[in-house]
Amino acid sequence: QVQLVESGGGLVQPGGSLTLSCAASGRILRINTMRWYRQAPGKQRELVAAISSGGTTNYADSVKGRFTISRENAKNTVYLQMNSLKSEDTAVYYCNAAIQIYGRSYDHDYWGQGTQVTVSS
């Protein structure tokens, strides 16, 4: 009923930039908070950034000042602009969104399939 499709991952050198996108589609009535998570090999999935429907943002300490989360409500899309990338940012990045679909009175969490970001020289 709902799909989240991420794009924009890839290989980048340390200090470089990438922008991830995540577009939601389906029988969507409303999208509330949208989030980006990441999971590095051998580590637990961690929250990177979040943005509410009203535009309030939160970031993990490790990415503050380097990453920017934004959303385009008309396109049901969330972005993650990543600057000054470090090797420790290497991970699979997942999009997450709390979405209310038609016919339901509550939100449900949906996940994208993940996109690989590799920071290496």
Side-chain angles (χ1 to χ4, degrees), residues 48-69:
V48 175
I51 184 166
S52 71
S53 57
T56 300
T57 59
N58 286 288
Y59 298 92
D61 287 342
S62 59
V63 307
K64 279 181 182 176
R66 300 189 298 121
F67 290 11
T68 302
I69 189 170

Side-chain angles (χ1 to χ4, degrees), residues 30-104:
R30 183 179 62 197
I31 302 179
N32 291 307
T33 301
M34 304 185 83
R35 302 175 179 90
W36 286 98
Y37 287 79
R38 67 185 180 187
Q39 188 166 19
K43 294 188 177 182
Q44 288 191 330
R45 190 172 296 189
E46 63 172 349
L47 177 63
V48 175
I51 184 166
S52 71
S53 57
T56 300
T57 59
N58 286 288
Y59 298 92
D61 287 342
S62 59
V63 307
K64 279 181 182 176
R66 300 189 298 121
F67 290 11
T68 302
I69 189 170
S70 61
R71 62 191 287 170
E72 195 168 354
N73 290 330
K75 294 185 177 181
N76 290 337
T77 299
V78 63
Y79 305 95
L80 187 67
Q81 172 70 43
M82 304 184 293
N83 298 326
S84 302
L85 282 161
K86 306 174 181 179
S87 58
E88 51 262 45
D89 295 316
T90 295
V92 177
Y93 283 71
Y94 297 91
C95 172
N96 165 270
I99 296 175
Q100 183 181 358
I101 65 171
Y102 287 99
R104 286 185 183 168

